[in-house]
């Protein structure tokens, strides 16, 4: 996720308990090895970047029902992440129909692409931990947009591993999901 995360509780819970948890607020949480991780408010630039990318994907012809923000993804049995943006495959969109909660469960098809916009002091989460967790799910493409470092890292799933390409400035992003994408790192990072 692209926001500062704080531990919300000290007691360990199961994933099922997480799904039934209600603290009486509208707070969002990620779930990490039995602990709730409170997600605090995003920065305006991170929100703008995520919205800009969503609009670009829609302009590439991805139907609205296959684009989602703040969808939960169970990455392993003990972890749940909430990326900034998710592109569903047609099969996943069908599996999500009628769901009471926007959660990609382990038995469902994996998303085609996830995007995380890095928040200050959270880079290890996005570059390291989430990379490993999204790899476990076999997500075809994972974008890490880093406004602090001024770069977009695109990870493509190839033969069971992520291959990394880093884009800066006017470099055009190459995507296996969006072959006709005409978008540069600078355009994404400016998000205007």
């Amino acid at each position: 996720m692209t926001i500062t995360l704080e531990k919300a509780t000290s007691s360990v819970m199961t994933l099922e308990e997480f799904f039934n948890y209600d603290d009486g607020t509208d707070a969002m949480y990620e779930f990490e090895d039995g602990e709730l991780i409170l997600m605090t408010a995003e920065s305006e630039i991170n929100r703008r970047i995520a919205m800009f990318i969503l609009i670009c994907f829609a302009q590439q012809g991805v139907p609205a029902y296959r684009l989602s923000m703040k969808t939960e993804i169970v990455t392993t049995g003990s972890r749940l992440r909430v990326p900034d943006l998710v592109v569903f495959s047609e099969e996943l969109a069908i599996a999500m129909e009628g769901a009471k909660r926007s959660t990609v469960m382990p038995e469902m098809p994996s998303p085609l692409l996830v995007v995380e916009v890095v928040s200050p002091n959270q880079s290890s989460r996005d570059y390291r931990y989430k990379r490993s967790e999204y790899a476990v799910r076999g997500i075809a493409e994972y974008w890490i947009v880093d406004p602090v470092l001024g770069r977009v890292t695109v990870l493509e799933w190839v033969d069971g591993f992520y291959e990394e390409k880093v884009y800066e400035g006017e470099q055009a992003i190459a995507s296996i999901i969006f072959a006709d994408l005409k978008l540069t790192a600078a355009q994404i990072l400016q998000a205007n």
Side-chain angles (χ1 to χ4, degrees):
M1 197 75 232
T2 62
I3 47 178
T4 304
L5 305 173
E6 301 171 2
K7 289 195 178 187
T9 65
S10 59
S11 62
V12 175
M13 64 173 51
T14 66
L15 189 59
E16 183 68 28
E17 290 169 331
F18 169 77
F19 287 136
N20 293 315
Y21 181 76
D22 183 359
D23 65 0
T25 71
D26 289 334
M28 285 190 76
Y29 298 92
E30 286 190 329
F31 184 72
E32 198 172 283
D33 300 327
E35 295 183 358
L36 295 175
I37 307 296
L38 177 63
M39 298 169 44
T40 57
E42 287 190 73
S43 71
E44 182 61 15
I45 189 62
N46 286 23
R47 187 198 64 77
R48 286 183 185 192
I49 288 170
M51 287 299 297
F52 177 80
I53 296 170
L54 180 132
I55 290 166
C56 289
F57 290 166
Q59 290 172 341
Q60 287 288 309
V62 179
Y65 69 89
R66 289 186 41 211
L67 295 170
S68 185
M69 297 180 88
K70 307 301 181 196
T71 290
E72 301 170 324
I73 300 173
V74 178
T75 57
T76 67
S78 63
R79 293 193 177 216
L80 178 142
R81 298 299 184 187
V82 186
D84 293 291
L85 178 61
V86 180
V87 179
F88 296 165
S89 64
E90 190 65 37
E91 296 77 19
L92 179 54
I94 291 167
M96 294 291 287
E97 284 179 6
K100 294 180 180 176
R101 185 177 181 128
S102 186
T103 305
V104 179
M105 298 300 290
E107 65 275 7
M108 294 177 167
S110 292
L112 290 177
L113 184 146
V114 295
V115 176
E116 295 279 3
V117 184
V118 179
S119 290
N121 303 319
Q122 295 299 317
S123 62
S124 66
R125 215 176 260 287
D126 293 324
Y127 283 101
R128 184 175 176 187
Y129 302 118
K130 292 181 184 182
R131 176 184 181 140
S132 298
E133 292 171 41
Y134 293 148
V136 167
R137 281 301 306 247
I139 296 172
E141 202 164 292
Y142 169 34
W143 291 18
I144 305 169
V145 180
D146 194 330
V148 174
L149 296 178
R151 66 184 186 193
V152 177
T153 303
V154 175
L155 302 160
E156 295 176 356
W157 187 249
V158 179
D159 297 327
F161 297 97
Y162 276 131
E163 290 186 4
E164 178 179 305
K165 296 177 185 166
V166 178
Y167 301 91
E168 297 176 323
E170 296 303 319
Q171 289 179 301
I173 306 293
S175 167
I176 58 173
I177 306 298
F178 299 105
D180 298 328
L181 187 68
K182 302 216 181 327
L183 192 58
T184 67
Q187 288 171 313
I188 290 173
L189 292 164
Q190 291 172 12
N192 291 320

